[in-house]
């Protein structure tokens, strides 16, 4: 078996190192090309109507979101930096009651947003409710979104939404009627309701590090 001279051995090692390095770079680039671009701040935008799978009636329910992350912008007692999930923006809720021919609406100010790839949960404190609407003013409501893409091939979205009232967030009271629990920041159920018209866009960003003192 032939033995390489020290000079030839060094040359072979250098060539192998270059090949591995270039191969790794090529693989990394290929992966990056197919990844979704990562924005600096997370956001949820869009408007859509949806159907409740447990109550598919003629009522039309819709949400619109215009929310963007604003990390560490809202100091709290004991948390002077604020939180990485701090956010700003607006939420609008519309519910048309077919039997009554009435639409109730509500608007809220976003206070929390957290995302994952194509998913988000956000909360908003309600500031306006239409006359005769639910007793929501001053309360925090939770929402979840799945950004399923632009089209399902039948003219509709694959998106889904969830929200913190109706069949969620109940506190059993034994023999008494259950009560609704208070909603904490960024708390919402899974997006269980399929969108029937419109859609949402979720831009995911990792939560930023706590600011240095």
């Amino acid at each position: 078996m032939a033995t390489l001279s020290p000079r030839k051995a060094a040359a072979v090692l250098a060539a192998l190192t270059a090949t591995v390095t270039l191969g790794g770079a090529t693989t990394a680039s290929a992966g990056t090309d197919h990844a979704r671009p990562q924005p600096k701040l997370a956001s949820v935008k869009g408007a859509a109507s949806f159907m409740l799978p447990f109550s598919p009636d003629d009522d039309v329910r819709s949400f619109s979101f215009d929310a963007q992350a604003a990390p560490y912008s809202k100091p709290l007692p004991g948390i002077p930096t604020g939180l990485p999930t701090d956010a700003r923006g607006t939420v609008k809720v519309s519910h048309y009651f077919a039997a009554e021919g009435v639409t109730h609406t509500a608007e809220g100010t976003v206070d929390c947003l957290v995302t994952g790839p194509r998913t988000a949960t956000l909360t908003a404190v309600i500031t306006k409710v239409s006359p005769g609407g639910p007793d929501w003013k001053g309360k925090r409501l939770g929402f979840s979104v799945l950004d399923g893409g632009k089209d399902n091939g039948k003219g509709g979205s694959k998106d889904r939404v969830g929200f913190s009232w109706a069949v969620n967030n109940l506190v059993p009271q034994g023999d008494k009627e259950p009560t609704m629990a208070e909603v904490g920041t960024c708390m919402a159920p899974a997006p269980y309701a399929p969108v029937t018209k419109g859609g949402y866009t979720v831009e995911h960003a990792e939560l930023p590090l706590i600011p240095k003192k």
Side-chain angles (χ1 to χ4, degrees):
M1 179 175 176
T3 303
L4 291 176
S5 67
R7 180 177 296 179
K8 288 185 178 181
V12 171
L13 179 60
L16 287 173
T17 302
T19 301
V20 171
T21 302
L22 288 173
T26 302
T27 302
S29 289
T32 302
D33 289 342
H34 291 290
R36 296 185 78 193
Q38 293 296 304
K40 293 183 179 179
L41 292 174
S43 66
V44 181
K45 297 182 183 295
S49 300
F50 57 92
M51 178 192 73
L52 295 182
F54 53 84
S55 181
D57 53 25
D58 293 330
D59 295 356
V60 177
R61 302 162 175 84
S62 62
F63 298 151
S64 65
F65 303 123
D66 185 2
Q68 186 177 55
Y72 306 108
S73 62
K74 300 178 180 182
L76 294 170
I79 313 177
T81 61
L83 297 170
T85 53
D86 287 343
R88 62 174 180 266
T90 57
V91 165
K92 295 182 180 180
V93 177
S94 177
H95 186 176
Y96 172 71
F97 293 83
E100 304 172 19
V102 174
T103 298
H104 291 308
T105 60
E107 296 181 20
T109 301
V110 174
D111 64 354
C112 188
L113 170 65
V114 63
T115 64
R118 297 189 179 276
T119 63
T121 61
L122 62 155
T123 47
V125 177
I126 300 302
T127 56
K128 297 180 182 179
V129 179
S130 61
D135 183 22
W136 285 348
K137 192 170 182 180
K139 294 182 179 180
R140 179 181 291 107
L141 301 181
F143 305 86
S144 60
V145 177
L146 169 64
D147 178 358
K150 293 182 178 180
D151 197 319
N152 63 6
K154 299 179 181 180
S157 171
K158 294 180 182 179
D159 295 359
R160 301 176 74 90
V161 294
F163 50 96
S164 63
W165 62 98
V167 296
N168 302 291
N169 213 39
L170 294 175
V171 180
Q173 300 290 326
D175 294 335
K176 298 180 181 179
E177 185 176 339
T179 60
M180 294 294 294
E182 184 176 351
V183 176
T185 56
C186 277
M187 292 292 99
Y192 54 84
V195 164
T196 55
K197 183 179 180 181
Y200 303 105
T201 300
V202 174
E203 294 290 354
H204 169 56
E206 301 296 343
L207 295 177
L209 296 174
I210 299 173
K212 294 181 179 180
K213 295 182 180 179

